[in-house]
Amino acid sequence: RAKSAGRNGYRFFEQEMSVEAKTRMTLEHSLRRALERNEFELHYQPRLDLRGGRVLGMEALIRWNHPQLGRVSPLQFIPIAEERGLIEAIGRWVLREACAQTRRVSERFGLPLRVSVNLSARQLKCHDLREQVTEALDSAGLAPQMLELELTESALIEDMEISAARLGELKKLGIKLSVDDFGTGYSGLAYLQRFPLDVMKLDRSFINQQTDGTRNLHFIKALIDLAHTLDLSVVAEGIETADILQFLKSCRCDEGQGYLFSAPLPIEAFEAYLEQIAVRQATA
Ligand code: C2E
Ligand code: MG
Ligand code: MG
Ligand code: MG
């Protein structure tokens, strides 16, 4: 079709492409320099024990403050970083920063906070992942059980052999392992038994669902029961309403995070949040 449209038709097509392609090129280009220019930061979303309502830890979520484009979503730049071989360096920075900040905040509040860090598929394949993790823990002085690594189903099943080997090594360090966005892949369930996982994180698409109420609720309950049968603890992500929180509690869901409690926060705001909670608990 492009051919029969002739020269002008082809040019038109090129122009259409160029907006997206240009943004992508800009991103690719500036992503290479983002680490050395200190453009990344971590935000932290509190994770609560649904029975007692206490803060048990937080998920570290990367943010990129691009000098021209402003804040770029990790959903947009993580895939580019993976493709371009930049994820190893970024991932190493995330691990170090998350462990260091967690140690400092835990000390400050006298709380044993556990931080969870997202790993991409490519990081799981990285042969020195275990060394990276050890190094981050050691330099922060953080106990291994205070670190949890989140992997999506698709990352886990991309290469079952490698995943099994890597997870085994990581598990021996004493850290926790979770499957993120559970229920959104098409991967079957066998891997849940095969890998040494500790935590199942239910994807927020179920937790937030507005339509088809009771069926979805039955489904959530079945997933929680499944996780418990496999000796996994369950974290619901994306809790936004008191109603769904009530329901999750009635299903014995162990932990949760979501806007109802708090959005992901810059480190200073996260500390202010903890301070406020400490005051509330002291005066309760
Ligand atoms: P994820 O690991 O599933 O993280 C949860 C996402 O849900 C976060 O989006 C969080 O801000 C958002 N969220 C939390 N509570 C609520 C809620 O109540 N309602 C709604 N609508 N959303 C909520 P975010 O921060 O944009 O991160 C998106 C994804 O980017 C993450 O999904 C994760 O897959 C990836 N990501 C983030 N940080 C990193 C990182 O350091 N390394 C890697 N490899 N991936 C990362
Ligand atoms: Mg996650
Ligand atoms: Mg998730
Ligand atoms: Mg998710």
Side-chain angles (χ1 to χ4, degrees), residues 173 202 233 240 273:
L173 298 176
L202 298 182
S233 74
E240 292 185 359
Y273 171 90

Side-chain angles (χ1 to χ4, degrees), residues 45 59 62-63 74 118 120 180-181 204 237-238 240 258-259 264:
Q45 184 174 44
E59 178 171 5
I62 194 168
R63 300 291 178 258
N118 295 282
S120 71
D180 200 0
D181 302 341
R204 68 167 196 264
E237 61 176 29
E240 292 185 359
Y259 295 167

Side-chain angles (χ1 to χ4, degrees), residues 18 167 208 249:
S18 69
L167 296 187
N208 281 334
K249 280 180 170 176

Side-chain angles (χ1 to χ4, degrees), residues 59-61 116-118 150 180-181 201 237 257:
E59 178 171 5
L61 294 155
S116 57
V117 170
N118 295 282
E150 301 191 2
D180 200 0
D181 302 341
K201 296 193 80 174
E237 61 176 29
Q257 52 187 95

Side-chain angles (χ1 to χ4, degrees), residues 14-32:
E14 222 175 22
Q15 273 169 8
E16 283 257 290
M17 291 284 289
S18 69
V19 179
E20 239 186 82
K22 256 187 196 154
T23 319
R24 201 186 153 90
M25 266 173 61
T26 310
L27 290 182
E28 274 183 28
H29 184 73
S30 39
L31 201 50
R32 287 183 192 285

Side-chain angles (χ1 to χ4, degrees), residues 28-40:
E28 274 183 28
H29 184 73
S30 39
L31 201 50
R32 287 183 192 285
R33 315 295 298 274
L35 260 184
E36 64 198 57
R37 291 181 179 168
N38 258 317
E39 290 167 4
F40 293 119

Side-chain angles (χ1 to χ4, degrees), residues 162-268:
I162 291 185
S163 296
R166 286 287 180 280
L167 296 187
E169 289 172 2
L170 291 169
K171 188 70 187 183
K172 274 197 214 132
L173 298 176
I175 66 171
K176 306 290 175 191
L177 299 171
S178 57
V179 51
D180 200 0
D181 302 341
F182 183 78
T184 55
Y186 300 89
S187 45
L189 297 167
Y191 76 93
L192 286 177
Q193 266 192 306
R194 166 131 190 230
F195 298 140
L197 299 162
D198 303 283
V199 176
M200 178 191 284
K201 296 193 80 174
L202 298 182
D203 193 68
R204 68 167 196 264
S205 57
F206 311 125
I207 309 299
N208 281 334
Q209 208 163 75
Q210 308 296 325
T211 53
D212 199 27
T214 49
R215 256 188 99 131
N216 186 48
L217 294 181
H218 287 311
F219 185 62
I220 292 172
K221 177 159 192 336
L223 292 179
I224 294 172
D225 290 342
L226 168 71
H228 286 158
T229 303
L230 295 169
D231 244 335
L232 300 171
S233 74
V234 189
V235 181
E237 61 176 29
I239 301 177
E240 292 185 359
T241 66
D243 283 351
I244 193 71
L245 173 61
Q246 250 343 98
F247 176 75
L248 289 165
K249 280 180 170 176
S250 76
C251 297
R252 298 174 196 283
C253 181
D254 303 279
E255 297 174 36
Q257 52 187 95
Y259 295 167
L260 180 65
F261 307 119
S262 167
L265 302 168
I267 186 71
E268 304 78 23

